[in-house]
Amino acid sequence: MQETVNTAQMRGLLIFCFSVCAYTCFAQALVVRNAVDLHPVEGAVIRTLNGGGSCLSDARGRCLLSGVGGSDTLVISHVSYAMRTMVARDAWDAGGEVHLLPRAVPLAEFVVSANRFREPTEDLAERVEVIDARDIAFLDQPTTGDLLQNAGTVFVQKSQMGGGSPVIRGFEASRILLVVDGVRMNNAIYRAGHLQDIMTVDQQTVDRIEVISGPASVVYGSDALGGVIHMITRAAPFLDSAGTQIGGSALVRHATANNERTAHVDLSISRKRFSSFTSITASRFGDLRQGRVRQADQPRFGERAFYVERSDGLDRVVVNADPDVQVGTAYDQLDVMEKLRWRTGASTVHQINLQLSTSSDVPRYDRLSEATIGADGSIVPAHAEWYYGPQRRFLAAYGLELSRSRWSDQARITPSFQHVVQSRHNRAWGSSRLGHRVEEVDVWGFNAEFEKRLARHEVRYGLEGYHNAVSSKAERTDINTGAVSYLTTRYPNGGSSMSTAAAFVTHTFEAGKRWILSDGLRFNHVGLDATFADENDFQFLNGRLRQRHEAFNWRLAAVYSPDTTWRLTALLNTGFRAPNVDDLAKVFDSAPGRVVVPNPALRPERTLNAEIGVNKVMGGRHSIQLTAFHTWFSDALVVRPFQQNGRDSLLYDDVMSAVTALTNAGKALITGANAAITVSLKDHLSWSNSITYTYGRVITGDGQVPLDHIPPVYGRSAVELFVKRAKLEAYVLFNGWKRLRDYSDSGEDNLQYATPAGMPAWITYNVRGSWSLAPWVSLQLAVENIADRNYRTFASGVSAPGRNVQMSARFTF
């Protein structure tokens, strides 16, 4: 009897062991990779055709699929990749790797910028364009401004090579909002002219860029008149199991047009409850060579005929041996980032986000190229020196992410601190007096955002507050004797501050299967204080200036989807921008012979925007997107002739200058449209196109005059070829004419840097390719502006690169 029991127990044990062994033997670890760059694909679903099992790939592309036989058929799917079917045995023979080709038209896409939390783009009435990590790596541009321009997402103006001022729907600089990791970059001294601060965000650390076109003041408050550029930086993922994973990447890049040399390295450390991401990027840019092929009627447009050197105590004009080399554009840049994340529970994540960007001196090329012809026919430069000092941006932010609390399904709380340093240094031709103007801004910020889902309703609400403290100093130094003398500060020398406080709520309602309705409301309060204590010079507004503004912003939107291939959108919303310290209290020369002085009577700018959109997807392979908008712009700030203490001109920086000031122009209108068409010719071949048109006018008593910052027609067309381990792209970038009649007389459009007829139309032909030699190494080669076309983008004071050969190597470990 005992023997029978033991035999039965043994038999049961053997059956159990055999079952476990069989299960384990047929539990296959598969790795899903992008067929082009061989990087892991997260979020891919692998299932058997007979429904026997399924799994989801993790951040390393790994997926453990159990109960699969060698003859079973596997189906691998992902919203951003073409579906693939294959026999399981073929996957095992390939070392357990499955390669997917990217889709030209993703089945679905999610964004976080529109309402601060993740949601599908198909639920949004706003136009949101995404440049993801894959596109960023492939475009491989030297700066974030160059990345935006080459992606065709926005128009970008440049006053010097070290910069890039994005334009969205005719709004630029302080009228669009820059956001990095949920923290607004716009501060109290963001100017209304042309702004170069986007250069301080290292594209090597950016995981994705989301561009919202149109007012976004309900969610983001002041400054978001034209739209929002939200840059979301990379973070190391948490592991699903115990252990430590260490990885990283390195990049070296060289470009011929400016002799660029860039080196980048990043390191990721991942554990189940802790992760760290560290990044360092260093770049050195030489003087930029412009294109040699010019229009027949402008054979010398943009030439750099001279530059200035100082020897024996005198400024001397030096004839440029190669006028196509824009001497005075070179600079260096260094960017460092550290992001730490740790879990303290199933629903709590903490984050420390540290970012530092600094540069060498950045020459102000447009000013250095200005000159007149003397009576004897000699060149007389306007400036011997003009440069920005090192532009520094430091960000320290703490993030607290909560889920499944009583008051919200998700919550994000982010206190932050930013320290920004900017300076301007200039010396007139023949003068020994070098002026120094230095501005420092400390910004303390607080964001609290919450999301709650109730049946078919989604409610998102939050609080936001920022405080800016501005310090402005100036002095003039005699470069011969070292003597220091008085110089007017750019901003009030008694100090200035600006504070904002806001509360907002947005609501989305799924009204059946076809309709999505949404609305939102925000209250804004903005306060500004400035102290003028100028006893030595013009004595503008001596004493204390105080302004307080409030605004309500609202949004109404509807999305109608009659089926899965059509989407119709309608949007009505408002925008708001309060005058900041730069608008209200600045003294500067906007152009030679023109000085802008403070105007204490400024009021906030406001917009009312209406837009409609149509999206059509055909066969899951082709897509058409059309958007048309009209914006009513009230109390627009424009530069107009002005008088200060009864004077219409004054001597500023040794130049007799006409007095102007920012004023509320009354009313303006902006209308435009955007179209994007993507055609998937085959699974591995696609054709994408985009074009944007904008028209803007200021309404005056005598009719209408051009509004500044309105770009010409611009767009991009590209053919992409995906093959195993490689991607090739041939594309064109183009701009239409900006005729003289369409230039604003405010000076912001920089007519002096254009031709007598305006800024000519242009087109460039470009090709780039990437080759993945192995999962850990890839090479890239690009030839930009193949025809070596000479051109400038509208309002730019520096010519664009000529033919540019760009080479890079990327290593991952």
Side-chain angles (χ1 to χ4, degrees):
M1 185 71 175
Q2 183 67 35
E3 181 179 353
T4 303
V5 173
N6 289 342
T7 301
Q9 290 176 338
M10 183 62 69
R11 184 182 299 112
L13 181 61
L14 289 173
I15 293 173
F16 175 77
C17 291
F18 177 80
S19 301
V20 171
C21 181
Y23 182 87
T24 305
C25 291
F26 289 98
Q28 297 295 323
L30 300 174
V31 177
V32 185
R33 294 188 183 276
N34 185 321
V36 176
D37 56 22
L38 301 182
H39 289 171
V41 174
E42 182 178 7
V45 176
I46 303 180
R47 60 182 176 85
T48 57
L49 193 60
N50 60 12
S54 65
C55 63
L56 186 70
S57 63
D58 60 19
R60 293 175 289 177
R62 295 180 73 253
C63 185
L64 188 65
L65 189 62
S66 59
V68 179
S71 61
D72 287 345
T73 299
L74 303 180
V75 179
I76 306 96
S77 60
H78 190 285
V79 294
S80 298
Y81 294 84
M83 182 182 293
R84 183 178 180 185
T85 60
M86 63 188 306
V87 177
R89 185 178 295 106
D90 294 338
W92 301 340
D93 292 343
E97 290 200 352
V98 178
H99 294 175
L100 299 181
L101 282 171
R103 284 180 178 271
V105 181
L107 293 178
E109 192 166 39
F110 291 82
V111 297
V112 299
S113 57
N115 284 302
R116 300 251 185 195
F117 288 95
R118 190 173 185 266
E119 61 183 324
T121 54
E122 62 188 20
D123 290 356
L124 299 173
E126 286 86 353
R127 178 174 176 80
V128 182
E129 297 176 87
V130 177
I131 309 174
D132 61 21
R134 189 174 63 198
D135 296 328
I136 293 171
F138 182 69
L139 286 170
D140 198 26
Q141 292 298 306
T143 68
T144 303
D146 294 314
L147 171 66
L148 289 170
Q149 177 171 307
N150 277 269
T153 308
V154 299
F155 183 88
V156 178
Q157 179 275 349
K158 282 194 172 187
S159 297
Q160 63 277 334
M161 185 171 65
S165 187
V167 183
I168 305 176
R169 293 189 176 180
F171 291 97
E172 184 182 357
S174 59
R175 291 177 177 136
I176 64 172
L177 185 65
L178 303 182
V179 179
V180 59
D181 292 331
V183 177
R184 56 184 292 139
M185 291 177 60
N186 291 42
N187 59 51
I189 65 171
Y190 265 42
R191 54 191 179 274
H194 308 293
L195 198 67
Q196 315 302 325
D197 292 59
I198 200 166
M199 68 177 284
T200 65
V201 179
D202 177 18
Q203 61 145 334
Q204 300 299 332
T205 66
V206 175
D207 184 62
R208 60 193 282 118
I209 299 176
E210 298 179 1
V211 179
I212 305 174
S213 295
S217 290
V218 168
V219 176
Y220 289 96
S222 181
D223 299 0
L225 293 179
V228 175
I229 299 177
H230 192 167
M231 294 156 283
I232 302 166
T233 61
R234 298 162 59 186
F238 294 113
L239 296 183
D240 295 329
S241 57
T244 301
Q245 178 179 309
I246 299 176
S249 67
L251 169 79
V252 290
R253 182 176 59 236
H254 173 69
T256 58
N258 57 3
N259 195 28
E260 177 202 357
R261 288 153 289 173
T262 291
H264 163 81
V265 63
D266 61 70
L267 178 68
S268 298
I269 302 174
S270 296
R271 293 177 60 85
K272 191 172 183 179
R273 292 184 173 272
F274 172 82
S275 73
S276 168
F277 176 77
T278 307
S279 171
I280 302 175
T281 303
S283 297
R284 171 159 292 179
F285 304 98
D287 289 325
L288 179 65
R289 188 187 68 80
Q290 59 190 305
R292 300 184 188 278
V293 180
R294 293 175 169 82
Q295 294 189 170
D297 60 342
Q298 296 292 331
R300 303 192 65 182
F301 177 63
E303 284 190 347
R304 177 66 153 143
F306 72 94
Y307 56 92
V308 177
E309 286 186 349
R310 189 170 180 85
S311 61
D312 299 327
L314 296 174
D315 292 329
R316 303 182 189 277
V317 172
V318 179
V319 176
N320 191 1
D322 186 350
D324 290 323
V325 176
Q326 298 174 97
V327 177
T329 51
Y331 75 101
D332 301 338
Q333 185 160 340
L334 176 67
D335 296 281
V336 181
M337 176 179 167
E338 175 64 46
K339 185 179 286 188
L340 302 173
R341 292 170 61 82
W342 66 96
R343 295 183 185 272
T344 55
S347 59
T348 305
V349 175
H350 306 265
Q351 176 176 284
I352 297 293
N353 188 354
L354 303 175
Q355 300 176 21
L356 173 66
S357 177
T358 187
S359 70
S360 65
D361 293 339
V362 180
R364 179 74 187 268
Y365 178 80
D366 56 350
R367 297 298 180 89
L368 292 174
S369 64
E370 294 168 356
T372 57
I373 303 299
D376 60 354
S378 62
I379 297 174
V380 182
H383 303 276
E385 298 181 70
W386 214 123
Y387 60 92
Y388 292 108
Q391 181 153 327
R392 300 189 182 98
R393 179 183 68 90
F394 172 72
L395 165 68
Y398 165 74
L400 175 62
E401 301 171 16
L402 303 171
S403 59
R404 298 189 298 274
S405 68
R406 171 183 291 185
W407 303 106
S408 65
D409 298 323
Q410 295 183 76
R412 187 182 300 112
I413 299 172
T414 310
S416 61
F417 170 75
Q418 297 176 79
H419 180 67
V420 177
V421 180
Q422 298 181 358
S423 62
R424 295 161 176 82
H425 311 263
N426 65 298
R427 181 172 63 85
W429 165 259
S431 172
S432 63
R433 300 192 303 169
L434 177 62
H436 309 276
R437 291 184 172 93
V438 181
E439 282 72 52
E440 296 190 37
V441 186
D442 289 331
V443 185
W444 292 266
F446 178 81
N447 294 75
E449 301 138 11
F450 307 88
E451 180 185 56
K452 186 69 175 179
R453 297 175 183 265
L454 302 168
R456 292 186 294 169
H457 298 267
E458 298 175 7
V459 179
R460 301 175 179 93
Y461 57 98
L463 301 172
E464 179 183 281
Y466 283 85
H467 177 75
N468 293 244
V470 181
S471 169
S472 188
K473 300 177 181 178
E475 65 180 23
R476 182 178 277 126
T477 304
D478 191 302
I479 61 175
N480 292 328
T481 66
V484 176
S485 58
Y486 168 82
L487 182 65
T488 55
T489 56
R490 182 175 174 88
Y491 302 114
N493 59 356
S496 49
S497 64
M498 182 176 180
S499 299
T500 64
F504 72 91
V505 60
T506 65
H507 165 245
T508 301
F509 172 53
E510 295 182 11
K513 294 182 179 180
R514 298 181 178 181
W515 285 95
I516 295 178
L517 307 177
S518 58
D519 50 80
L521 185 66
R522 182 187 183 101
F523 171 74
N524 306 274
H525 172 82
V526 182
L528 188 151
D529 294 275
T531 301
F532 295 83
D534 185 359
E535 301 296 339
N536 297 285
D537 209 332
F538 310 117
Q539 299 186 19
F540 298 121
L541 302 172
N542 271 352
R544 186 171 183 180
L545 177 66
R546 185 175 185 269
Q547 279 202 347
R548 298 292 183 269
H549 299 290
E550 285 80 32
F552 280 99
N553 291 111
W554 52 267
R555 172 189 178 277
L556 295 172
V559 178
Y560 175 64
S561 301
D563 56 42
T564 58
T565 66
W566 281 98
R567 193 166 68 93
L568 309 177
T569 64
L571 174 65
L572 190 65
N573 58 355
T574 64
F576 161 80
R577 189 179 83 87
N580 62 18
V581 172
D582 186 90
D583 299 312
L584 195 66
K586 173 181 61 178
V587 181
F588 85 115
D589 56 331
S590 64
R594 187 197 303 257
V595 63
V596 177
V597 301
N599 177 7
L602 291 181
R603 301 183 302 276
E605 298 178 303
R606 302 175 190 272
T607 60
L608 171 63
N609 177 71
E611 64 183 86
I612 56 174
V614 179
N615 298 327
K616 171 64 175 175
V617 177
M618 293 163 285
R621 299 171 61 88
H622 320 299
S623 70
I624 300 176
Q625 300 179 42
L626 302 174
T627 305
F629 70 91
H630 185 85
T631 300
W632 292 267
F633 193 6
S634 60
D635 287 326
L637 297 183
V638 296
V639 177
R640 289 288 182 260
F642 198 71
Q643 287 192 347
Q644 186 65 49
N645 298 330
R647 301 161 61 184
D648 60 8
S649 63
L650 54 84
L651 190 68
Y652 183 78
D653 278 356
D654 300 325
V655 177
M656 184 57 67
S657 303
V659 174
T660 63
L662 278 173
T663 60
N664 293 100
K667 296 181 179 180
L669 59 88
I670 303 174
T671 190
N674 173 271
I677 301 174
T678 300
V679 178
S680 182
L681 304 174
K682 293 184 178 180
D683 286 342
H684 58 277
L685 185 64
S686 66
W687 179 34
S688 60
N689 308 269
S690 66
I691 187 170
T692 300
Y693 167 79
T694 313
Y695 175 88
R697 289 294 186 266
V698 176
I699 301 172
T700 68
D702 300 324
Q704 297 182 1
V705 298
L707 180 66
D708 50 18
H709 302 287
I710 303 298
V713 172
Y714 67 92
R716 186 180 195 268
S717 181
V719 175
E720 289 184 329
L721 174 65
F722 299 95
V723 295
K724 189 174 182 180
R725 300 195 174 207
K727 175 182 178 181
L728 299 174
E729 180 184 55
Y731 67 99
V732 299
L733 297 173
F734 61 89
N735 273 203
W737 260 95
K738 180 74 174 184
R739 299 289 182 180
L740 190 64
R741 63 178 178 270
D742 293 323
Y743 271 75
S744 168
D745 62 0
S746 68
E748 295 293 355
D749 286 350
N750 291 334
L751 180 58
Q752 69 271 27
Y753 304 129
T755 72
M759 194 64 79
W762 55 266
I763 185 170
T764 64
Y765 303 93
N766 318 269
V767 62
R768 66 176 62 249
S770 67
W771 296 266
S772 294
L773 306 182
W776 56 273
V777 60
S778 63
L779 302 178
Q780 287 187 238
L781 177 66
V783 184
E784 300 172 333
N785 193 4
I786 295 172
D788 205 22
R789 177 71 180 270
N790 183 280
Y791 70 97
R792 286 185 177 182
T793 56
F794 160 65
S796 294
V798 61
S799 296
R803 184 183 298 114
N804 184 34
V805 179
Q806 183 177 300
M807 300 157 283
S808 63
R810 191 182 300 270
F811 307 89
T812 58
F813 56 90

